[in-house]
Structure formats: structure tokens, C-alpha cells
Amino acid sequence: MALIETQHLTKVYELGDSAVRAMDDVSLTVANGEFVAIMGPSGSGKSTFMNVIGCLDVPTGGKYLLDGMDVGDRDRDELAEIRNKKIGFVFQGFNLLPRTSALENVELPMLYDGCPPRERRQRAMEALKAMGLEGREHHHPNQLSGGQQQRVAIARALVNRAPLILADEPTGNLDTRSSVEIMELVVKLNRESGITIILVTHEPDIAAFSRRIIKFRDGLVVSDEPVKQAEQQVKDP
Amino acid sequence: MISIPSTLKISLRALRVNKMRSALTMLGIIIGVGAVITMLAVGTGASERISEQMASIGSNLLIIMPGSSTSGGIRMGSGTQSTLTQDDAEAIAQECPAVSDVAPIYNGAAQVVYGNQNWSTGISGTTPGILPVRDWSLSSGRAFTEQDVRNATKVCLLGQTIVDSLFGNADPVGQIIRIKKVPFMVIGVLAKKGQSSNGQDQDDTILVPLTTAQKKIFGTPFVGMVRSITVKARGADELAAAEGQINELLSQRHRIGPRQEMDFTVRNLTQMMEAREQSTQVMGLLLAAIASVSLLVGGIGIMNIMLVSVTERTREIGIRMSVGAKTWDIRLQFIIEALTLSLIGGVAGIILGISGSKILSALVGWATVVSPLSVLLSFSFSGLVGLFFGFYPAYKASLLNPIDALHYE
């Protein structure tokens, strides 16, 4: 079943008198358990697409179905609820709360869905453990390396058992070794837990971890094809 | 929806991170609440003092003084004419329905001797009516009676100051003292009243039967003369009626024509005191109003800091929104932060206000009374200020666009 289905999605920004078509007639489907990379130069509309998919922004036209629900006419709070339950975000700049422990950062999504404190703590601990961060629960972001911070962010994205993870250049601020580590983690999540992953990246090396690459240019989808076996970073078992 | 304890935790953490800033912001509220409580305490203290004085004079009092005498075109001032008599007093008691008690007074100063002690004091000859009129009671012994007045008995009632200076700790009742060398038996002691509104010691007095004072101590220019008549009205709302009735009766008795000047005046003490109390209350409220302006300024300080805080934490707000914080989750976080600032400031302000009024009364000697109501009032006012001035920044924060907030540098 399709987790994401967009039909003729457009986004127009009004800048003074001129209108900018950031996204023009994008129709796509992403099935449950897919691992998609989105590429394209800056200004190609891929960020706009990600914002709409992530329910951070609403499209000007077209239709967006997430998990079978029409997201188009939801208000702010309904969108917040969807983000809370269905979507985990991983950002380039990690976006962890400063002066807040890793544990409390991971607890954050559960704070907003009324999860009782005891369960909150337990699930956050488990998520951090799964990311190999056992023993660092009480470290603040500035006491962690970039790779570790990104793993905290992934733990936060996973902790509410969201079926979809949106990663916006997750390796952009990391060195090559950490990048590979993070990507291997993401691949593992996709393969073993069946979590759908949509990843935005500039780097073909990173895109090669995925199974399907969608390219944007000038607000349009210009190519959408599976990654060839020969080019895959992680071979099928 | 986020739970209140979790929000409180987030807010407290945010306030802890900027300790200096939070403390300075609170200072505005602390000073505001402190000032309001202190000023209200000063106001309440002053008006309570006046009420006490009013109670000590006696309530619903009218004092009738003789008018001024004129000799060779020179008017001698109030009380210099001797026009009031004991009969006037009796007529007032009988014919003015708004009057409940009457006490004619014939007073003077005399030397009082007991054993080897002596003391100069005011002696008032009066009737038993004086006790109800002045709301006076006896701390020991008995009062003199109408019988004593008729017979000009040589008995007296002593004020507490007289007892202290003549008898020390001994019991004066039953003892004989000499007033102007005339022996008097002490039959009772008046309860302590303290200072009057103009600082006079009201306990430095001796009461004797009216006729005794007239005939056996001072002597009178004519028979039955009294220096003043003190009258108690039946109630506060009958004061004006009593005043009118007395004016009418005495004009008639003294044969004063419509165009002639009265040879007596009726003074309404209670009214004067009430006017004073009212003006004190107004003054106190005015002070509190001025002080509450500083509380308002403190509130604006909170709003200022909260706006800065919202701008500084735009990215944090974006992160919270991206993981599912709803409009009211964000609003509540900042409102509770502002409320925490103002309520902690309020508690500290109450402590400051209470100690401030204590210090003021110790240093300047002003009577200050911190009423629980004023504490409650200023505390809830500070809470309201926090809520009011915290709402706009919280509202602003909740309306941020999550994408813009996330990419805010």
C-alpha cells in the first residue's frame, strides 16, 4: 500500500508582485518500506516537497495522501498531531535542544502526546540504546560528537514509532566516517524495521545507499528511477 | 497535549539558564508588589489609628459650647460667654428625642493630694451620663449616681494616670484624696483610654459629681452654670437630627431671635473624625495606586524579556513544533514561564512588603497594618500581570511558521 501519494502537488510563493512556483505538478507515490533519495540543485523544489510531505507546510494546489488520509485541509494542530505520530525528522543541523540531555531530547515527541513519564523515560532509553548511545543518556548535545548528535536525532525520530522518516541532508555536517555510520544505521532501520525513508542529499555517494532516486529541477520531477544493482552501496542480501 | 508538570519543568529550566535576567525581571514585580503592600499597610495603619481615636472619644458625640462674649466691641472667642446651665442639659435630655445621653460638664484644674504624693490635673464635674456618652467603663469600683449629684457628695472617679501617679500599685478604691484641700472618697477607677486625637492624655482626669465641682471645689459665677454639655445621639444617622433639635431648643430657651447670633455652638466631633478617616483612606488608596503603577511597569518588563526570549528561542520553538507541539503547547510553555516569573516575584514582593512596613513603623514610627486582603490582592494582581503580559509573547511564539522557525539562525 502507498504510504505517500501526491497528485499534481504545487506550491506557489508570493514574493511581492511576482509568484514563484517552487513546486509544479508533482505526482508521486512512495510505498511502505521504500528508501527514496531526493536529489536536485538548490532551488529545485526538493525542500518544498519535503516540507509538504513532512506536514510542515501546506501545498497551494493538488492533493497529498499520507497513509491514506488527505492531509490537504488540516489545520495547524492537526498537522502537528500527524507530525507527532507519523513522521520523524532528521535534519542536517541535528536540531537538538541545547542544554538538554540526550534522554530529554528523545523524550520530546512523547511529551506532546501525553505519554506518562515512566513510559517516556523507558522508551527513550531503549531508543538511545538501539542507536548505540548507552551511557550517554545524560550528555548534553555540546558534549557529543556530530555523529552521536545525529544518532540522538534519529532516536528522537523513531521513539514515537513513526512509519516515515524524513532526513534532510542528514550527513551534511558529518565527516565521511560518521556519514557512512549514520547511513548504515538508516539502511538497517529500513531493512530490519521496515521504516519508510525519504532522504534529501546532494551527494551521489549518499544517494547510492537508497533504492530509488528522484531528481528535481525547477519545481518539477525530472527523473525517478531505481538505483542500479551495480551502483548500490549496500547490496541486497 | 503536554501536561502541566512537564511544561512547568521546561519553563523553570529556561528561567534557570538565564538566572541574572530572570532575577532582574522579577525585581520589577518584587518592587511593585512590595510597594503596593507597604503603601496599603501605611494607609490601613493610619485609618485604623483614627478609628481607634474615634472609639476612645466616644461615638456619635456632639459637644455644646457657650458662645463668645463681647466686651467693648471685642469678641472674646468661643466658650468665653457663660450661657449654658444645668437646666439646659436637663431640657436637652428630656425634649430632644434623637439624644440618648447627656453630660453637662463644669471643669477646672486643681492640685490633688494623697499621702505625701500630689498631682495637678483637670477635674470635671459631671453627671453619671458621662460614662455612656464617652463610651467609658470602670476598671474597678462603682460610678457615682444621680443621688450623689443631687447631694453634692464628695466622691470621685480617677483616671488611670492619676492612680499611677498618686497610688502607684496600691488599690485606690475606698481611699481618701484631697482636691483643693477638700477630702474626697475614691469610689472607682476609669478604664484606660489612652491618647486623644490631638495627643492629650485622656486618663489624666478626675470625675466628680457636677454639683460637687460647682459648690465645693471651684464655685460658680451663677448657680447651675456649666462650661459645656456633651451629648450622645441615638445613632450615627440621628446625629444631624440631634444637632437640629438642640439648636432649636437652646435658641428657644436662650430667647434668640431669628436674626440674632447664637450664644452657643454645637460641634460634631464624629463628623470631623470621619472626614479625617476618609481623607486618610483616600490618601492610602492613592499611594497604593501609585505603587501599582510600578507593578504594571514590572509587568511590561516581563513582556519585554519574554519577547526577547521568544526571539532567542525561535529555533527551539521550531524543533518543538516539528516533533508535534501544538499551538497551546507552545503558548502554555511561555505563559507558564511568565507566570512563574511574576508569581515568584509576587512571593518575594510580599516578603519585601511585610518587612518594608515593619521597618517603616520601626524607623519612622508610622502605624502600619498589613492586612491579609492586601497580600492576597497584590499576589493575585501580580499573577494577573504575568498572565496578561505573558500572553502576547506566548501568542506570538505559537503563531511562528515551523519551517521558518527551524531555519532561524
Side-chain angles (χ1 to χ4, degrees), chain A residues 55-112:
Chain A
C55 294
L56 288 165
D57 203 353
V58 284
T60 321
K63 210 171 176 186
Y64 169 31
L65 301 171
L66 173 63
D67 213 1
M69 326 183 271
D70 193 344
V71 176
D73 51 355
R74 309 282 170 138
D75 66 20
R76 280 178 79 100
D77 284 353
E78 285 168 331
L79 290 177
E81 176 108 30
I82 294 170
R83 288 198 295 272
N84 185 265
K85 296 277 186 321
K86 304 254 177 206
I87 304 167
F89 291 94
V90 178
F91 301 96
Q92 180 179 4
F94 318 133
N95 274 342
L96 299 174
L97 293 184
R99 293 181 288 267
T100 305
S101 70
L103 188 66
E104 283 171 294
N105 263 296
V106 176
E107 282 184 13
L108 207 56
M110 292 181 281
L111 212 60
Y112 292 110

Short mmCIF file of all heavy atoms in Angstrom, two decimals, chain A residues 55-112:
data_model
loop_
_atom_site.label_atom_id
_atom_site.label_comp_id
_atom_site.label_asym_id
_atom_site.label_seq_id
_atom_site.Cartn_x
_atom_site.Cartn_y
_atom_site.Cartn_z
N CYS A 55 4.43 17.63 6.43
CA CYS A 55 3.31 18.34 7.08
C CYS A 55 3.77 19.59 7.83
O CYS A 55 3.14 20.04 8.79
CB CYS A 55 2.55 17.44 8.05
SG CYS A 55 1.70 16.11 7.22
N LEU A 56 4.91 20.14 7.38
CA LEU A 56 5.34 21.42 7.96
C LEU A 56 4.76 22.57 7.15
O LEU A 56 4.75 23.70 7.58
CB LEU A 56 6.87 21.50 7.96
CG LEU A 56 7.60 20.60 8.95
CD1 LEU A 56 9.07 20.50 8.60
CD2 LEU A 56 7.43 21.11 10.37
N ASP A 57 4.32 22.26 5.94
CA ASP A 57 3.82 23.28 5.05
C ASP A 57 2.62 22.68 4.30
O ASP A 57 2.52 21.45 4.19
CB ASP A 57 4.93 23.67 4.07
CG ASP A 57 4.71 25.06 3.50
OD1 ASP A 57 3.63 25.65 3.77
OD2 ASP A 57 5.60 25.56 2.81
N VAL A 58 1.73 23.54 3.84
CA VAL A 58 0.59 23.03 3.07
C VAL A 58 0.75 23.42 1.60
O VAL A 58 1.23 24.51 1.31
CB VAL A 58 -0.76 23.56 3.62
CG1 VAL A 58 -1.12 22.83 4.88
CG2 VAL A 58 -0.70 25.05 3.86
N PRO A 59 0.36 22.53 0.68
CA PRO A 59 0.52 22.85 -0.74
C PRO A 59 -0.50 23.90 -1.18
O PRO A 59 -1.54 24.06 -0.55
CB PRO A 59 0.26 21.52 -1.42
CG PRO A 59 -0.60 20.76 -0.47
CD PRO A 59 -0.20 21.20 0.89
N THR A 60 -0.17 24.62 -2.26
CA THR A 60 -1.11 25.60 -2.81
C THR A 60 -2.19 24.86 -3.61
O THR A 60 -3.35 25.24 -3.61
CB THR A 60 -0.38 26.59 -3.73
OG1 THR A 60 0.87 26.90 -3.15
CG2 THR A 60 -1.18 27.85 -3.92
N GLY A 61 -1.76 23.80 -4.29
CA GLY A 61 -2.74 23.04 -5.08
C GLY A 61 -2.38 21.57 -5.09
O GLY A 61 -1.26 21.19 -4.71
N GLY A 62 -3.30 20.75 -5.48
CA GLY A 62 -3.05 19.32 -5.55
C GLY A 62 -3.47 18.61 -4.29
O GLY A 62 -4.04 19.21 -3.38
N LYS A 63 -3.14 17.34 -4.26
CA LYS A 63 -3.62 16.51 -3.17
C LYS A 63 -2.48 15.72 -2.57
O LYS A 63 -1.59 15.28 -3.30
CB LYS A 63 -4.68 15.55 -3.74
CG LYS A 63 -5.75 15.18 -2.75
CD LYS A 63 -6.86 14.41 -3.46
CE LYS A 63 -7.90 13.93 -2.46
NZ LYS A 63 -8.89 13.07 -3.09
N TYR A 64 -2.46 15.56 -1.26
CA TYR A 64 -1.43 14.77 -0.61
C TYR A 64 -2.10 13.79 0.34
O TYR A 64 -2.79 14.18 1.28
CB TYR A 64 -0.46 15.70 0.14
CG TYR A 64 0.50 15.00 1.07
CD1 TYR A 64 0.96 13.69 0.81
CD2 TYR A 64 0.98 15.64 2.21
CE1 TYR A 64 1.84 13.06 1.67
CE2 TYR A 64 1.86 15.01 3.08
CZ TYR A 64 2.27 13.71 2.80
OH TYR A 64 3.14 13.08 3.66
N LEU A 65 -1.91 12.51 0.05
CA LEU A 65 -2.46 11.48 0.94
C LEU A 65 -1.32 10.83 1.71
O LEU A 65 -0.36 10.33 1.10
CB LEU A 65 -3.20 10.41 0.12
CG LEU A 65 -4.37 10.88 -0.73
CD1 LEU A 65 -4.85 9.75 -1.64
CD2 LEU A 65 -5.51 11.35 0.16
N LEU A 66 -1.38 10.88 3.01
CA LEU A 66 -0.38 10.22 3.84
C LEU A 66 -1.07 9.06 4.55
O LEU A 66 -2.02 9.28 5.30
CB LEU A 66 0.20 11.20 4.87
CG LEU A 66 1.15 10.60 5.92
CD1 LEU A 66 2.39 10.02 5.28
CD2 LEU A 66 1.53 11.64 6.97
N ASP A 67 -0.58 7.86 4.26
CA ASP A 67 -1.17 6.67 4.88
C ASP A 67 -2.68 6.62 4.62
O ASP A 67 -3.47 6.24 5.49
CB ASP A 67 -0.90 6.71 6.40
CG ASP A 67 -0.72 5.31 6.95
OD1 ASP A 67 -0.78 4.34 6.16
OD2 ASP A 67 -0.54 5.20 8.18
N GLY A 68 -3.07 7.06 3.42
CA GLY A 68 -4.48 7.01 3.05
C GLY A 68 -5.30 8.20 3.50
O GLY A 68 -6.46 8.36 3.09
N MET A 69 -4.74 9.12 4.36
CA MET A 69 -5.54 10.28 4.80
C MET A 69 -5.18 11.49 3.95
O MET A 69 -4.02 11.73 3.67
CB MET A 69 -5.26 10.70 6.23
CG MET A 69 -4.93 9.67 7.22
SD MET A 69 -4.74 10.48 8.82
CE MET A 69 -3.02 10.86 8.73
N ASP A 70 -6.20 12.26 3.62
CA ASP A 70 -5.96 13.51 2.92
C ASP A 70 -5.46 14.56 3.91
O ASP A 70 -6.12 14.86 4.90
CB ASP A 70 -7.27 13.99 2.27
CG ASP A 70 -7.00 15.10 1.26
OD1 ASP A 70 -5.88 15.67 1.31
OD2 ASP A 70 -7.89 15.37 0.45
N VAL A 71 -4.26 15.07 3.65
CA VAL A 71 -3.64 16.00 4.60
C VAL A 71 -3.92 17.45 4.21
O VAL A 71 -3.68 18.37 4.97
CB VAL A 71 -2.12 15.69 4.66
CG1 VAL A 71 -1.40 16.67 5.54
CG2 VAL A 71 -1.89 14.28 5.17
N GLY A 72 -4.47 17.63 3.00
CA GLY A 72 -4.60 18.97 2.43
C GLY A 72 -5.30 20.00 3.30
O GLY A 72 -4.83 21.11 3.44
N ASP A 73 -6.44 19.63 3.89
CA ASP A 73 -7.23 20.66 4.56
C ASP A 73 -7.14 20.59 6.08
O ASP A 73 -8.07 20.94 6.78
CB ASP A 73 -8.69 20.55 4.10
CG ASP A 73 -9.20 19.13 4.25
OD1 ASP A 73 -8.37 18.27 4.62
OD2 ASP A 73 -10.39 18.88 4.00
N ARG A 74 -6.00 20.14 6.57
CA ARG A 74 -5.84 20.07 8.04
C ARG A 74 -5.35 21.41 8.59
O ARG A 74 -4.62 22.12 7.92
CB ARG A 74 -4.82 18.99 8.41
CG ARG A 74 -5.09 17.65 7.78
CD ARG A 74 -6.21 16.95 8.52
NE ARG A 74 -6.64 15.77 7.79
CZ ARG A 74 -6.91 14.61 8.40
NH1 ARG A 74 -6.78 14.51 9.71
NH2 ARG A 74 -7.31 13.59 7.69
N ASP A 75 -5.75 21.71 9.83
CA ASP A 75 -5.25 22.94 10.44
C ASP A 75 -3.92 22.68 11.16
O ASP A 75 -3.44 21.55 11.20
CB ASP A 75 -6.30 23.56 11.38
CG ASP A 75 -6.58 22.69 12.60
OD1 ASP A 75 -5.73 21.85 12.93
OD2 ASP A 75 -7.65 22.85 13.21
N ARG A 76 -3.37 23.73 11.72
CA ARG A 76 -2.05 23.66 12.35
C ARG A 76 -1.93 22.52 13.36
O ARG A 76 -0.96 21.77 13.37
CB ARG A 76 -1.77 24.96 13.13
CG ARG A 76 -1.32 26.10 12.31
CD ARG A 76 -1.15 27.32 13.23
NE ARG A 76 0.12 27.25 13.95
CZ ARG A 76 1.19 27.93 13.59
NH1 ARG A 76 1.18 28.69 12.53
NH2 ARG A 76 2.31 27.83 14.29
N ASP A 77 -2.94 22.44 14.24
CA ASP A 77 -2.84 21.46 15.33
C ASP A 77 -2.99 20.03 14.82
O ASP A 77 -2.36 19.12 15.33
CB ASP A 77 -3.88 21.77 16.41
CG ASP A 77 -3.47 22.96 17.25
OD1 ASP A 77 -2.32 23.43 17.07
OD2 ASP A 77 -4.27 23.43 18.07
N GLU A 78 -3.85 19.87 13.79
CA GLU A 78 -3.99 18.53 13.22
C GLU A 78 -2.70 18.11 12.54
O GLU A 78 -2.27 16.94 12.63
CB GLU A 78 -5.16 18.51 12.23
CG GLU A 78 -6.51 18.51 12.93
CD GLU A 78 -7.67 18.76 12.00
OE1 GLU A 78 -7.50 19.46 10.98
OE2 GLU A 78 -8.76 18.27 12.31
N LEU A 79 -2.05 19.06 11.85
CA LEU A 79 -0.77 18.76 11.21
C LEU A 79 0.28 18.40 12.27
O LEU A 79 1.08 17.48 12.09
CB LEU A 79 -0.28 19.95 10.38
CG LEU A 79 -1.08 20.24 9.11
CD1 LEU A 79 -0.55 21.48 8.41
CD2 LEU A 79 -1.05 19.06 8.16
N ALA A 80 0.26 19.14 13.40
CA ALA A 80 1.20 18.86 14.49
C ALA A 80 1.01 17.43 14.99
O ALA A 80 1.96 16.70 15.26
CB ALA A 80 1.02 19.86 15.63
N GLU A 81 -0.24 17.04 15.11
CA GLU A 81 -0.56 15.70 15.58
C GLU A 81 -0.03 14.63 14.61
O GLU A 81 0.53 13.62 15.02
CB GLU A 81 -2.09 15.59 15.71
CG GLU A 81 -2.60 14.24 16.09
CD GLU A 81 -3.12 14.22 17.52
OE1 GLU A 81 -3.60 15.27 17.98
OE2 GLU A 81 -3.02 13.16 18.15
N ILE A 82 -0.22 14.91 13.30
CA ILE A 82 0.27 13.96 12.29
C ILE A 82 1.80 13.86 12.37
O ILE A 82 2.36 12.76 12.35
CB ILE A 82 -0.17 14.41 10.87
CG1 ILE A 82 -1.69 14.30 10.76
CG2 ILE A 82 0.50 13.56 9.80
CD1 ILE A 82 -2.27 14.94 9.52
N ARG A 83 2.48 15.02 12.50
CA ARG A 83 3.94 15.00 12.61
C ARG A 83 4.37 14.19 13.81
O ARG A 83 5.32 13.43 13.78
CB ARG A 83 4.47 16.44 12.78
CG ARG A 83 4.39 17.29 11.54
CD ARG A 83 5.31 18.49 11.65
NE ARG A 83 4.91 19.42 12.71
CZ ARG A 83 4.06 20.43 12.55
NH1 ARG A 83 3.51 20.62 11.37
NH2 ARG A 83 3.76 21.22 13.55
N ASN A 84 3.60 14.36 14.89
CA ASN A 84 3.95 13.69 16.13
C ASN A 84 3.85 12.17 16.00
O ASN A 84 4.70 11.44 16.49
CB ASN A 84 3.02 14.19 17.23
CG ASN A 84 3.36 13.64 18.59
OD1 ASN A 84 2.79 12.65 19.01
ND2 ASN A 84 4.31 14.25 19.27
N LYS A 85 2.80 11.73 15.32
CA LYS A 85 2.51 10.28 15.30
C LYS A 85 3.15 9.56 14.12
O LYS A 85 3.50 8.39 14.21
CB LYS A 85 0.98 10.07 15.20
CG LYS A 85 0.21 10.58 16.41
CD LYS A 85 0.23 9.55 17.50
CE LYS A 85 -0.64 9.91 18.69
NZ LYS A 85 -0.66 11.29 19.10
N LYS A 86 3.25 10.26 12.96
CA LYS A 86 3.58 9.52 11.73
C LYS A 86 4.95 9.83 11.16
O LYS A 86 5.43 9.10 10.30
CB LYS A 86 2.55 9.88 10.65
CG LYS A 86 1.12 9.62 11.05
CD LYS A 86 0.58 8.41 10.35
CE LYS A 86 -0.82 8.11 10.79
NZ LYS A 86 -1.15 6.71 10.64
N ILE A 87 5.53 10.97 11.57
CA ILE A 87 6.74 11.40 10.88
C ILE A 87 7.87 11.67 11.87
O ILE A 87 7.68 12.32 12.90
CB ILE A 87 6.47 12.68 10.06
CG1 ILE A 87 5.31 12.45 9.09
CG2 ILE A 87 7.72 13.11 9.29
CD1 ILE A 87 4.77 13.69 8.47
N GLY A 88 9.06 11.15 11.54
CA GLY A 88 10.24 11.51 12.30
C GLY A 88 11.17 12.32 11.42
O GLY A 88 11.36 11.99 10.25
N PHE A 89 11.69 13.41 11.98
CA PHE A 89 12.57 14.27 11.18
C PHE A 89 14.03 14.08 11.61
O PHE A 89 14.34 13.99 12.80
CB PHE A 89 12.22 15.75 11.39
CG PHE A 89 10.90 16.13 10.80
CD1 PHE A 89 9.75 16.12 11.58
CD2 PHE A 89 10.81 16.50 9.46
CE1 PHE A 89 8.53 16.49 11.04
CE2 PHE A 89 9.58 16.88 8.93
CZ PHE A 89 8.45 16.87 9.70
N VAL A 90 14.91 14.06 10.60
CA VAL A 90 16.34 14.12 10.89
C VAL A 90 16.89 15.25 10.02
O VAL A 90 16.69 15.28 8.82
CB VAL A 90 17.03 12.78 10.52
CG1 VAL A 90 18.52 12.87 10.78
CG2 VAL A 90 16.42 11.65 11.33
N PHE A 91 17.53 16.23 10.68
CA PHE A 91 17.96 17.43 9.96
C PHE A 91 19.48 17.45 9.79
O PHE A 91 20.21 16.80 10.54
CB PHE A 91 17.55 18.69 10.73
CG PHE A 91 16.07 18.80 10.95
CD1 PHE A 91 15.50 18.38 12.15
CD2 PHE A 91 15.26 19.35 9.97
CE1 PHE A 91 14.14 18.51 12.36
CE2 PHE A 91 13.89 19.47 10.19
CZ PHE A 91 13.33 19.06 11.37
N GLN A 92 19.90 18.27 8.85
CA GLN A 92 21.33 18.46 8.65
C GLN A 92 22.01 19.00 9.91
O GLN A 92 23.05 18.53 10.32
CB GLN A 92 21.56 19.43 7.48
CG GLN A 92 23.02 19.68 7.20
CD GLN A 92 23.21 20.63 6.02
OE1 GLN A 92 22.25 21.17 5.46
NE2 GLN A 92 24.45 20.81 5.63
N GLY A 93 21.36 19.99 10.53
CA GLY A 93 21.96 20.64 11.70
C GLY A 93 21.57 19.98 13.02
O GLY A 93 21.64 20.60 14.06
N PHE A 94 21.11 18.74 12.97
CA PHE A 94 20.71 17.92 14.12
C PHE A 94 19.46 18.44 14.82
O PHE A 94 18.56 17.68 15.15
CB PHE A 94 21.84 17.75 15.16
CG PHE A 94 23.19 17.50 14.55
CD1 PHE A 94 24.31 18.21 14.98
CD2 PHE A 94 23.34 16.58 13.54
CE1 PHE A 94 25.55 17.98 14.41
CE2 PHE A 94 24.58 16.33 12.97
CZ PHE A 94 25.69 17.05 13.40
N ASN A 95 19.42 19.79 15.05
CA ASN A 95 18.26 20.38 15.72
C ASN A 95 17.87 19.70 17.02
O ASN A 95 16.72 19.33 17.24
CB ASN A 95 17.06 20.40 14.77
CG ASN A 95 17.07 21.64 13.89
OD1 ASN A 95 17.76 22.61 14.22
ND2 ASN A 95 16.33 21.62 12.81
N LEU A 96 18.88 19.54 17.87
CA LEU A 96 18.59 19.08 19.23
C LEU A 96 18.44 20.32 20.11
O LEU A 96 19.01 21.36 19.80
CB LEU A 96 19.74 18.22 19.75
CG LEU A 96 20.02 16.95 18.95
CD1 LEU A 96 21.26 16.27 19.49
CD2 LEU A 96 18.83 16.00 19.00
N LEU A 97 17.67 20.19 21.20
CA LEU A 97 17.54 21.32 22.12
C LEU A 97 18.85 21.47 22.88
O LEU A 97 19.36 20.50 23.44
CB LEU A 97 16.42 21.08 23.12
CG LEU A 97 15.01 21.05 22.56
CD1 LEU A 97 14.01 20.91 23.69
CD2 LEU A 97 14.71 22.31 21.77
N PRO A 98 19.42 22.66 22.89
CA PRO A 98 20.67 22.88 23.63
C PRO A 98 20.40 22.79 25.14
O PRO A 98 19.27 22.96 25.59
CB PRO A 98 21.09 24.29 23.23
CG PRO A 98 19.82 24.96 22.84
CD PRO A 98 18.92 23.90 22.28
N ARG A 99 21.46 22.54 25.90
CA ARG A 99 21.38 22.48 27.38
C ARG A 99 20.32 21.51 27.86
O ARG A 99 19.70 21.71 28.89
CB ARG A 99 21.11 23.87 27.96
CG ARG A 99 22.26 24.84 27.75
CD ARG A 99 21.93 26.18 28.37
NE ARG A 99 20.91 26.87 27.58
CZ ARG A 99 21.19 27.74 26.62
NH1 ARG A 99 22.43 28.04 26.34
NH2 ARG A 99 20.22 28.32 25.95
N THR A 100 20.08 20.49 27.05
CA THR A 100 19.07 19.49 27.40
C THR A 100 19.70 18.14 27.13
O THR A 100 20.35 17.97 26.08
CB THR A 100 17.82 19.69 26.52
OG1 THR A 100 17.38 21.03 26.66
CG2 THR A 100 16.71 18.74 26.90
N SER A 101 19.53 17.19 28.04
CA SER A 101 20.23 15.92 27.89
C SER A 101 19.69 15.15 26.69
O SER A 101 18.58 15.40 26.21
CB SER A 101 20.05 15.08 29.16
OG SER A 101 18.72 14.65 29.26
N ALA A 102 20.50 14.21 26.22
CA ALA A 102 20.11 13.37 25.09
C ALA A 102 18.78 12.69 25.39
O ALA A 102 17.87 12.66 24.56
CB ALA A 102 21.20 12.32 24.84
N LEU A 103 18.67 12.20 26.63
CA LEU A 103 17.45 11.50 27.03
C LEU A 103 16.22 12.39 26.88
O LEU A 103 15.20 12.00 26.31
CB LEU A 103 17.61 11.06 28.49
CG LEU A 103 16.52 10.16 29.02
CD1 LEU A 103 16.55 8.82 28.31
CD2 LEU A 103 16.68 9.95 30.52
N GLU A 104 16.34 13.63 27.39
CA GLU A 104 15.17 14.53 27.33
C GLU A 104 14.88 14.96 25.91
O GLU A 104 13.73 15.18 25.54
CB GLU A 104 15.42 15.74 28.22
CG GLU A 104 15.23 15.40 29.68
CD GLU A 104 15.67 16.52 30.60
OE1 GLU A 104 16.89 16.80 30.62
OE2 GLU A 104 14.81 17.10 31.25
N ASN A 105 15.92 15.07 25.09
CA ASN A 105 15.69 15.36 23.68
C ASN A 105 14.88 14.26 23.02
O ASN A 105 13.98 14.52 22.22
CB ASN A 105 17.03 15.53 22.95
CG ASN A 105 17.42 17.00 22.83
OD1 ASN A 105 16.74 17.77 22.17
ND2 ASN A 105 18.50 17.37 23.50
N VAL A 106 15.22 13.01 23.37
CA VAL A 106 14.50 11.89 22.76
C VAL A 106 13.07 11.80 23.31
O VAL A 106 12.14 11.40 22.61
CB VAL A 106 15.28 10.58 23.00
CG1 VAL A 106 14.52 9.38 22.46
CG2 VAL A 106 16.64 10.66 22.34
N GLU A 107 12.90 12.23 24.55
CA GLU A 107 11.56 12.19 25.15
C GLU A 107 10.59 13.21 24.53
O GLU A 107 9.38 13.09 24.68
CB GLU A 107 11.65 12.49 26.66
CG GLU A 107 12.12 11.32 27.49
CD GLU A 107 12.10 11.66 28.98
OE1 GLU A 107 11.51 12.69 29.35
OE2 GLU A 107 12.68 10.90 29.75
N LEU A 108 11.17 14.21 23.87
CA LEU A 108 10.39 15.36 23.41
C LEU A 108 9.09 15.00 22.66
O LEU A 108 8.02 15.51 23.01
CB LEU A 108 11.28 16.26 22.55
CG LEU A 108 10.92 17.73 22.50
CD1 LEU A 108 10.87 18.33 23.89
CD2 LEU A 108 11.93 18.48 21.64
N PRO A 109 9.14 14.12 21.64
CA PRO A 109 7.88 13.84 20.92
C PRO A 109 6.82 13.23 21.83
O PRO A 109 5.63 13.50 21.68
CB PRO A 109 8.30 12.84 19.84
CG PRO A 109 9.77 13.00 19.71
CD PRO A 109 10.28 13.42 21.05
N MET A 110 7.27 12.43 22.82
CA MET A 110 6.31 11.76 23.70
C MET A 110 5.68 12.74 24.68
O MET A 110 4.58 12.54 25.18
CB MET A 110 7.01 10.64 24.47
CG MET A 110 7.43 9.51 23.56
SD MET A 110 8.23 8.18 24.46
CE MET A 110 9.85 8.83 24.70
N LEU A 111 6.44 13.84 24.93
CA LEU A 111 5.93 14.89 25.82
C LEU A 111 4.64 15.48 25.26
O LEU A 111 3.74 15.87 26.00
CB LEU A 111 7.00 15.98 25.88
CG LEU A 111 7.17 16.78 27.13
CD1 LEU A 111 7.52 15.87 28.28
CD2 LEU A 111 8.30 17.80 26.93
N TYR A 112 4.58 15.54 23.94
CA TYR A 112 3.45 16.22 23.31
C TYR A 112 2.31 15.28 22.96
O TYR A 112 1.32 15.70 22.38
CB TYR A 112 3.92 17.00 22.08
CG TYR A 112 4.80 18.16 22.47
CD1 TYR A 112 6.15 18.16 22.21
CD2 TYR A 112 4.26 19.24 23.17
CE1 TYR A 112 6.96 19.21 22.60
CE2 TYR A 112 5.05 20.29 23.57
CZ TYR A 112 6.41 20.27 23.28
OH TYR A 112 7.19 21.32 23.68
#
